[in-house]
Amino acid sequence: MSRWIITFIIFSIVICFLEFYAFQALKTITKNKIIRLVWIVAAIAIYAYFLYVIYITPRSAGQTNSFQLAAGFMLTFLIPKLLLVIIMFGEDVFRVFRKGYSWVTPGETAVFESRRIFIAKIALGLAAIPFASFIYGIVQGRYNYKVLKYQLTFNDLPDAFDGFKITQISDIHSGSFTNKEKIQYGVDLINQQESDLMLFTGDLVNNMATEMDDWIDVFKTLDAPFGKFSVLGNHDYGDYVEWDTPEDKVKNFQAVKDLHPKIGFDLLLDEHRYIEKDGQRLALIGVENWGKGFNQAGNLAKASSEVGKDEFKILMTHDPSHWEYKVKADDFNYHLTLSGHTHGLQMGIEIPGWFRWSPSQYIYKQWAGLYQEFGRYINVNRGFGYHAFPGRVGIWPEVTVIELKKGTQNV
């Protein structure tokens, strides 16, 4: 059997197990046949739609809006049911002990039955929370743009750049967009920050250059007096599509690179630029994508070859694993690194100043926000757009504004 068939069989077994246990909770609290039937029909419809979309979507099309919608529906129904399974499976473990206990004290059985009904109600109530959250994330959360502001102080920042403001955006993923009015609102919000410099840290498209055709006029309105600069992300290389010929992939990659000047961005391909102000300057360095374990196209040494070691440096690199494994301990001293890529997995919990969690943190050490080590900073932008799952739950789309300050740096 092929790897795909084996994967499908395993996936089907897991889904059946999940659905069986989730249905037990419903059966425990209601005997209404209509409600049970609606539950079953909805589950079948969700899986059938997902399989249908996979079947009709050629590999050459990448992740279409239809695929994202189907995946979004499936996750919206699966994640709450997973919570149900965890609770109800735990209850079944308890029932094993109950069975033994009932042999000793038969009169206690009714007490345990009441307990199971209570647990089932609690489980369904808790499952309703992620269900409602995912619905909100698809309808509104993906457009719930947040402006996050940081003030960073450096001992060796050139005096002319004291108070200099940088806006960072990342992971536009234009192939996922469906609502021009909402995207225009996000772009206007970026311009409202009135920063001196604008930096985009990769993933302009999902896979194909044509995904940006309807959005060029929107994004070319972005403005910054000291310029707009960008780098490539892993999705910009077209690696996740099955191309008809190698030449088609090369042609698409060139078209993606050509998009950047069309929206007014200077694309840095293992290059640097100097930003000058009042006779002083800082170095802006941009590398191609470098990710731990895949697509290590970026060449940091080449990008920095004409930059002085003692100059103030800002590095743009799409994947934060680059900072973790190659950049942060480099004695060339990259003062500030800007990345994206993770999206914070587009789902999690963040209570500013108190608590934050996302499954993304089990994959990336630096997964969202600002980090500091060795006196050097990295900001991991949560992304402007969305990909795969057509929504955001708790991890909102981000516009980052960083103000550079001259002074004593806290290390």
Side-chain angles (χ1 to χ4, degrees):
M1 287 189 294
S2 71
R3 179 169 59 91
W4 294 110
I5 294 177
I6 294 173
T7 301
F8 176 76
I9 292 173
I10 294 174
F11 178 76
S12 299
I13 293 172
V14 171
I15 289 298
C16 289
F17 176 82
L18 183 69
E19 288 293 340
F20 171 78
Y21 263 97
F23 190 61
Q24 301 313 301
L26 183 70
K27 286 174 61 179
T28 300
I29 66 171
T30 180
K31 299 187 183 302
N32 189 303
K33 293 183 179 180
I34 295 179
I35 294 177
R36 292 183 180 184
L37 181 62
V38 169
W39 178 287
I40 294 171
V41 170
I44 293 173
I46 292 295
Y47 297 127
Y49 178 60
F50 182 73
L51 293 174
Y52 170 74
V53 169
I54 291 178
Y55 177 75
I56 66 169
T57 304
R59 290 288 303 277
S60 59
Q63 286 197 12
T64 63
N65 292 133
S66 295
F67 174 85
Q68 290 192 12
L69 185 62
F73 280 145
M74 193 165 73
L75 283 174
T76 299
F77 279 81
L78 271 181
I79 298 297
K81 288 178 180 179
L82 179 60
L83 181 59
L84 278 175
V85 166
I86 293 172
I87 297 173
M88 297 309 294
F89 184 77
E91 170 63 11
D92 278 349
V93 171
F94 179 82
R95 288 175 70 189
V96 172
F97 292 97
R98 182 200 71 176
K99 207 69 172 173
Y101 184 75
S102 66
W103 290 340
V104 179
T105 55
E108 297 295 324
T109 302
V111 174
F112 284 111
E113 289 301 330
S114 297
R115 180 184 185 279
R116 181 167 177 77
I117 294 173
F118 174 75
I119 293 296
K121 289 180 179 179
I122 292 295
L124 284 168
L126 291 175
I129 297 174
F131 180 78
S133 298
F134 272 66
I135 294 295
Y136 174 82
I138 293 173
V139 175
Q140 184 59 38
R142 55 180 167 172
Y143 307 120
N144 188 22
Y145 303 105
K146 300 296 182 184
V147 178
L148 301 184
K149 297 184 178 183
Y150 303 101
Q151 188 178 89
L152 303 182
T153 303
F154 299 91
N155 301 326
D156 52 352
L157 179 72
D159 293 337
F161 290 91
D162 186 20
F164 193 79
K165 289 203 311 181
I166 301 168
T167 287
Q168 179 199 2
I169 55 175
S170 193
D171 298 88
I172 288 175
H173 286 286
S174 56
S176 300
F177 293 157
T178 58
N179 189 319
K180 203 155 194 173
E181 181 180 349
K182 297 289 188 179
I183 302 306
Q184 183 66 64
Y185 167 78
V187 168
D188 291 342
L189 184 64
I190 296 170
N191 279 332
Q192 288 169 17
Q193 307 314 307
E194 298 183 336
S195 290
D196 300 295
L197 183 68
M198 190 170 298
L199 305 178
F200 169 61
T201 47
D203 276 359
L204 186 60
V205 298
N206 291 343
N207 296 293
M208 302 176 185
T210 53
E211 296 167 3
M212 192 65 185
D213 288 350
D214 293 335
W215 308 99
I216 291 175
D217 289 342
V218 176
F219 283 91
K220 73 179 182 181
T221 63
L222 291 170
D223 185 51
F226 283 80
K228 303 184 295 182
F229 301 87
S230 58
V231 293
L232 296 171
N234 57 303
H235 280 270
D236 296 321
Y237 291 81
D239 290 340
Y240 307 109
V241 171
E242 191 175 277
W243 300 95
D244 292 334
T245 67
E247 291 75 20
D248 287 340
K249 182 179 180 181
V250 171
K251 183 179 179 181
N252 178 76
F253 184 42
Q254 184 59 53
V256 170
K257 291 187 285 187
D258 291 342
L259 285 170
H260 290 253
K262 289 181 180 180
I263 58 174
F265 280 79
D266 183 359
L267 177 63
L268 304 185
L269 300 168
D270 295 336
E271 301 172 275
H272 81 282
R273 301 285 188 270
Y274 281 112
I275 309 300
E276 299 186 2
K277 183 181 181 185
D278 299 337
Q280 297 181 314
R281 68 185 189 179
L282 56 77
L284 178 65
I285 301 164
V287 296
E288 291 197 48
N289 187 76
W290 192 102
K292 177 63 176 176
F294 71 100
N295 197 331
Q296 298 181 357
N299 189 328
L300 185 59
K302 176 185 176 183
S304 308
S305 61
E306 299 178 13
V307 177
K309 183 176 180 179
D310 295 330
E311 293 186 282
F312 190 90
K313 296 176 283 294
I314 297 174
L315 172 65
M316 291 192 294
T317 180
H318 178 67
D319 192 319
S321 66
H322 193 196
W323 189 78
E324 174 64 21
Y325 292 100
K326 295 292 184 180
V327 176
K328 72 177 184 182
D330 193 315
D331 64 3
F332 200 62
N333 188 21
Y334 297 90
H335 298 75
L336 172 62
T337 298
L338 302 177
S339 298
H341 180 61
T342 71
H343 301 207
L345 212 63
Q346 295 172 209
M347 58 185 70
I349 302 170
E350 289 196 271
I351 305 174
W354 289 89
F355 176 81
R356 67 177 192 160
W357 174 87
S358 166
S360 184
Q361 69 191 56
Y362 305 118
I363 305 171
Y364 294 93
K365 186 176 179 180
Q366 298 82 27
W367 60 274
L370 191 68
Y371 303 82
Q372 180 187 23
E373 287 190 51
F374 307 111
R376 300 155 190 181
Y377 292 94
I378 181 173
N379 183 66
V380 183
N381 185 284
R382 294 161 180 80
F384 181 87
Y386 49 91
H387 179 63
F389 173 64
R392 284 179 175 265
V393 181
I395 306 294
W396 312 121
E398 175 181 343
V399 177
T400 308
V401 178
I402 297 174
E403 182 180 8
L404 305 179
K405 296 296 291 183
K406 173 83 171 186
T408 304
Q409 181 177 356
N410 294 322
V411 179

